[in-house]
Amino acid sequence: MYDRKKLAGIATRRKKWQDEELATSLRKSPPRLERFSTVSDEEIDLLYTPDPLSNFDCEEDLGFPGQYPYTRGVQPTMYRGRLWTMRQFAGFGSAEDTNARFKFLLSQGQTGLSTAFHFPTLMGYDSDSPRARGEVGMCGVAVDSLKDMEILFDGIPLDKVTTSMTINGPAAMVFAMYLAVAEKQGVPFRKVGGTIQNDILKEYIAQHSWIFPPEPSMRIITDILAYCADNVPRWNTISISGYHIREAGSTAVQELAFTIADGIAYVQAGIDAGIPVDKFAPRLSYFFNAHMDFFEEIAKYRAARRMWARIMRERFHAKDENSWKLRFHTQTAGCTLTAQQPMNNVVRVALQALSGVLGGTQSLHTNSMDESLALPTEQAVTVALRTQQIIAEESGVANTIDPLGGSFFVEQLTNGMEEKAMEYIRKIDEMGGMVAAIKQGYPQREVADAAFHFQRLVDAGKKRIVGLNAYQSEEGTPIPLLKIDDRVEKQQVARTKEVRRKRDAKKARACLSALKEGSLTPNVNLMPLLVDAAREYVTLGEMCDTLRETMGVYTDPAMF
Amino acid sequence: MATAKGKSVAATPKKAARKVRILVGKPGLDGHDRGAKIIARALRDAGVEVIYTGLHQTPEMIVSAAAQEDVDGIGLSILSGAHNYLFPRILQLLREKKMGDVVLFGGGIIPDDDIPKLVKKGVDRVFTPGTPIQEIVDYVNERIRPRK
């Protein structure tokens, strides 16, 4: 794209500038740091010039927005047509508490819902299980049965609002309950839109809310792919997530590489299950972290779109353009928030959110300033939502598409990100794909090593964090924190016991034995059986226990 | 800080009979093991014998592992908000097993208000987010000795 002669001239003059002017200047004022690197510890040059971009082709490498390879964005209009969806992840206490928070957020201009379940739900236990003691409603909302889901979405029309649910091990069961609520509201499945995270591979790598071993988990996932393609066409079946891999301490390249490698594994599993790729791939979406290093993050999102488009077209021979498009949600990085001087977190979140927007995200969650201490208060979450609204309405960055496209720095970072991530993907392919790599502990080890390396850099003062190892202040800045009422556990346990007492016991039993039988029979899709069970108020714990019997359980290999 | 360290070295000139054994535990259902793994690795690098339980342990599982491995201290990492249940329950089980001399410490997302209550119940030390690893390593080196 560039004139090669001119580029050669620039390279020569750059060398001259470095040797003369820069060298003189550096003698007078040496660099502040011995090494300048991103938060992932990738070295960054003093200056980026166009000469290394001799092979760069604006049309082939970037394309136009909405056109292959989508580096500049997946829609032709991007934010001029519609802003990104403002979707705050919310859930605490009882279904009533969280329903009230949902309604509050919608009243403040939020445009989609995102549900945080408490740990017992994430692990497939009912609130009255001994495993749930002390955890009910603590880190999310307690959902045991359809009864809780009815309360959670009471007064929220499921044909108008899309809901994202962070649920993985028991994704199929909770999704079945959601469909049963929609049915009760009179909304046909074809009109229901939303997302389940349903990304079990990254659970083994990072988030660790699993139930079953990898193979049976992949079977449930392909059941969901097939079921939604036929019955719930507006549903995003997997939100392939780098977020948690990054939170566990990976670098940006690892986040990108392992997430796309997970995506490859799901597409292959769908194809192997006999579903044509273009029937399910358009409903796969992605979820990335917005970490602290501004340009590295923007490059990551741009590289991700280009990589996925190429992989879907060239590797999987998808024909539908919608299969090539990487749509993604972004959440600012919880692990970057400090407990010290927590108000500073507002600024961190604003910068991170801005990188997500400049990177072309489809939806965004901004963390609240108090999340290094507790779940967010209403006041803190309002500031977080307003941060997005200020970026959207006041900053001007949503006026044009991919404003950093063509920057010498950003294009070279994007290329480097893609190259390094593809190296990882080739390595994982050689191991036999992501399921095999996970069984060998490969991505787990890579992430743990990176986390340890970063911690050492922070402890050595080589990475400076304001309020933590730089600019500390003696005085605390106390902010109000959300407390979960102790009564939530008692009330929730009582409600679930009552649900079991009041339902048609015979029907519930029949659903569970059908589920058991189905799980033992290959080629039976478990989704309709789970929807039947949800309708009869079979609890989440009961469904999961039944499948634990036939599918087995996964336990932590406990590597460190 | 340098003097404090020097003193502690001076106070224990003779070599310990055996390495200190620490159980790093993840009780409850939360999956955040970044901190636990970093601590486990740093303690191991500092010469401590480390046993890591892995995720999703019940209090009973943790105490039984502690008994089996004959540890001198237990470090718990809790980011689920269930600390007010899990710490006291583990202390209770340790006392029932006549292991009350095992030093229990921990860290995670634990609001300041809860810390004095936990300490009063017998938790030796609670570390909050942002603590340098070396501080925890120093604490273990200075506070915990082989039980026999």
Side-chain angles (χ1 to χ4, degrees):
Chain A
M1 192 181 99
Y2 294 101
D3 181 333
R4 281 177 188 262
K5 241 193 211 161
K6 277 201 169 171
L7 286 182
I10 290 172
T12 315
R13 279 187 295 283
R14 177 185 165 136
K15 175 116 197 355
K16 191 166 177 288
W17 171 79
Q18 268 174 333
D19 293 345
E20 294 168 12
E21 208 164 336
L22 179 63
T24 315
S25 179
L26 283 175
R27 271 194 298 274
K28 267 188 268 171
S29 52
R32 280 183 294 118
L33 305 173
E34 72 190 50
R35 187 167 178 274
F36 289 82
S37 68
T38 66
V39 76
S40 304
D41 209 21
E42 294 278 353
E43 194 151 3
I44 293 295
D45 274 348
L46 170 91
L47 182 77
Y48 286 81
T49 47
D51 42 300
L53 288 167
S54 59
N55 293 321
F56 178 73
D57 184 314
C58 183
E59 283 183 78
E60 239 176 62
D61 295 332
L62 302 186
F64 284 92
Q67 282 183 11
Y68 187 87
Y70 310 100
T71 313
R72 308 205 69 178
V74 288
Q75 295 121 357
T77 58
M78 287 303 289
Y79 307 136
R80 285 174 77 121
R82 196 171 66 82
L83 288 167
W84 62 90
T85 304
M86 300 185 188
R87 201 187 282 285
Q88 298 294 87
F89 186 43
F92 63 94
S94 66
E96 288 87 348
D97 294 331
T98 301
N99 177 263
R101 176 63 67 89
F102 280 172
K103 287 176 175 164
F104 170 77
L105 287 167
L106 290 169
S107 77
Q108 296 302 306
Q110 171 166 292
T111 45
L113 294 177
S114 176
T115 315
F117 297 102
H118 72 166
F119 278 112
T121 300
L122 295 175
M123 294 297 294
Y125 297 111
D126 288 337
S127 296
D128 57 350
S129 156
R131 297 292 325 232
R133 284 293 309 279
E135 313 231 20
V136 177
M138 281 292 170
C139 252
V141 58
V143 168
D144 299 329
S145 74
L146 177 60
K147 181 80 192 157
D148 302 317
M149 288 292 261
E150 288 166 5
I151 298 166
L152 186 59
F153 294 102
D154 180 50
I156 297 168
L158 299 190
D159 53 343
K160 298 208 169 59
V161 175
T162 60
T163 304
S164 171
M165 290 181 277
T166 297
I167 193 80
N168 294 279
M173 300 79 185
V174 171
F175 179 42
M177 290 182 193
Y178 189 83
L179 290 174
V181 176
E183 193 172 68
K184 287 207 151 190
Q185 286 190 4
V187 178
F189 289 179
R190 304 202 70 78
K191 282 196 167 173
V192 176
T195 306
I196 37 176
Q197 199 163 75
N198 195 30
D199 171 9
I200 199 68
L201 294 176
K202 69 89 178 53
E203 295 299 324
Y204 304 121
I205 302 172
Q207 186 168 244
H208 308 321
S209 295
W210 51 58
I211 303 177
F212 315 110
E215 281 86 2
S217 295
M218 291 299 271
R219 180 231 170 140
I220 300 176
I221 288 172
T222 52
D223 281 358
I224 294 171
L225 296 179
Y227 180 82
C228 287
D230 291 333
N231 301 285
V232 203
R234 288 184 59 213
W235 197 265
N236 295 312
T237 48
I238 313 175
S239 170
I240 309 161
S241 307
Y243 184 81
H244 321 86
I245 295 174
R246 193 68 183 280
E247 288 291 296
S250 85
T251 64
V253 167
Q254 288 168 346
E255 177 194 354
L256 177 61
F258 297 157
T259 310
I260 301 258
D262 286 345
I264 290 171
Y266 294 126
V267 173
Q268 192 60 56
I271 293 170
D272 292 348
I275 319 167
V277 65
D278 286 323
K279 212 174 159 194
F280 69 88
R283 298 316 302 185
L284 300 175
S285 63
Y286 275 83
F287 171 20
F288 290 112
N289 196 296
H291 214 280
M292 208 60 239
D293 198 292
F294 192 68
F295 291 107
E296 183 171 57
E297 294 304 278
I298 294 167
K300 180 183 75 185
Y301 310 126
R302 298 174 86 245
R305 275 193 295 271
R306 187 159 73 202
M307 285 167 71
W308 189 241
R310 288 177 176 162
I311 287 166
M312 291 310 291
R313 193 159 94 166
E314 290 161 19
R315 177 172 178 154
F316 291 114
H317 311 293
K319 299 274 182 295
D320 184 344
E321 287 184 16
N322 290 318
S323 301
W324 305 340
K325 291 179 192 169
L326 181 145
R327 298 169 295 128
F328 72 105
H329 172 68
T330 304
Q331 179 170 337
T332 59
C335 66
T336 66
L337 304 184
T338 61
Q340 297 77 10
Q341 306 177 35
M343 297 234 247
N344 297 345
N345 292 330
V346 175
V347 181
R348 293 191 175 96
V349 167
L351 286 166
Q352 296 166 1
L354 185 59
S355 77
V357 170
L358 291 173
T361 194
Q362 276 58 62
S363 72
L364 181 60
H365 164 103
T366 33
N367 288 328
S368 300
M369 67 179 108
D370 51 357
E371 287 187 72
S372 53
L373 301 160
L375 294 191
T377 62
E378 201 167 276
Q379 189 190 20
V381 76
T382 305
V383 173
L385 178 60
R386 295 287 181 255
T387 303
Q388 295 196 37
Q389 290 162 341
I390 290 166
I391 292 172
E393 306 289 350
E394 298 182 26
S395 76
V397 297
N399 287 342
T400 190
I401 299 171
D402 187 31
L404 293 170
S407 145
F408 305 135
F409 177 38
V410 171
E411 295 302 350
Q412 284 173 61
L413 267 187
T414 306
N415 292 347
M417 192 70 75
E418 178 174 6
E419 270 163 37
K420 286 173 199 147
M422 287 309 295
E423 262 170 51
Y424 264 120
I425 289 173
R426 271 189 291 276
K427 199 162 178 189
I428 291 164
D429 280 340
E430 279 164 20
M431 290 178 175
M434 197 40 133
V435 173
I438 286 169
K439 284 185 171 171
Q440 293 170 39
Y442 173 68
Q444 297 94 312
R445 230 172 6 249
E446 287 287 303
V447 173
D449 288 349
F452 194 70
H453 177 70
F454 179 74
Q455 188 61 43
R456 285 300 192 195
L457 290 178
V458 172
D459 284 351
K462 290 187 177 163
K463 288 286 173 201
R464 283 153 70 85
I465 298 170
V466 173
L468 190 81
N469 64 358
Y471 312 104
Q472 295 105 315
S473 58
E474 288 299 310
E475 262 170 70
T477 31
I479 53 172
L481 296 182
L482 184 82
K483 289 244 184 260
I484 308 298
D485 199 319
D486 294 341
R487 283 173 301 183
V488 168
E489 181 162 329
K490 262 190 205 144
Q491 286 167 0
Q492 182 62 22
V493 167
R495 182 189 289 159
T496 295
K497 287 193 191 301
E498 192 190 337
V499 164
R500 288 207 200 90
R501 229 177 10 251
K502 281 192 175 166
R503 70 187 176 190
D504 185 328
K506 218 170 129 192
K507 279 187 181 164
R509 264 200 309 278
C511 286
L512 284 171
S513 53
L515 181 62
K516 185 171 182 179
E517 188 141 330
S519 70
L520 291 167
T521 323
N523 301 325
V524 166
N525 193 315
L526 297 179
M527 268 314 295
L529 302 173
L530 291 167
V531 175
D532 286 344
R535 282 185 188 118
E536 297 301 332
Y537 295 87
V538 172
T539 67
L540 178 71
E542 292 166 333
M543 294 183 205
C544 292
D545 278 345
T546 301
L547 294 182
R548 280 184 183 101
E549 267 179 51
T550 60
M551 293 180 161
V553 291
Y554 185 80
T555 50
D556 185 7
M559 290 178 289
F560 69 92
Chain B
M1 242 164 77
T3 44
K5 244 191 197 168
K7 259 186 205 164
S8 115
V9 172
T12 52
K14 53 180 188 255
K15 232 180 148 203
R18 64 162 172 84
K19 280 184 175 183
V20 167
R21 292 163 72 85
I22 299 286
L23 184 84
V24 174
K26 277 293 301 176
L29 299 177
D30 88 85
H32 305 96
D33 59 358
R34 178 174 178 169
K37 284 179 167 178
I38 287 176
I39 302 296
R41 210 185 264 214
L43 287 173
R44 185 185 59 193
D45 290 354
V48 174
E49 209 168 307
V50 177
I51 300 105
Y52 173 49
T53 63
L55 292 157
H56 309 141
Q57 305 289 300
T58 62
E60 287 78 6
M61 287 156 95
I62 286 186
V63 173
S64 126
Q68 218 161 37
E69 300 285 350
D70 193 21
V71 299
D72 311 304
I74 303 176
L76 300 179
S77 164
I78 306 175
L79 289 87
S80 65
H83 48 271
N84 288 329
Y85 168 71
L86 292 167
F87 276 113
R89 175 74 185 138
I90 287 168
L91 281 168
Q92 182 195 356
L93 290 170
L94 283 174
R95 283 186 200 116
E96 283 171 15
K97 284 214 163 193
K98 310 248 177 299
M99 292 168 65
D101 58 332
V102 172
V103 178
L104 184 70
F105 64 100
I109 305 271
I110 296 167
D112 287 345
D113 291 357
D114 290 342
I115 294 173
K117 291 178 227 162
L118 293 171
V119 169
K120 208 171 156 197
K121 285 186 176 152
V123 180
D124 193 70
R125 180 82 179 268
V126 177
F127 295 96
T128 48
T131 307
I133 319 175
Q134 196 54 45
E135 197 178 316
I136 298 168
V137 172
D138 289 346
Y139 159 80
V140 168
N141 279 334
E142 283 162 26
R143 173 72 182 88
I144 304 177
R145 292 282 169 269
R147 284 163 68 217
K148 294 174 235 174

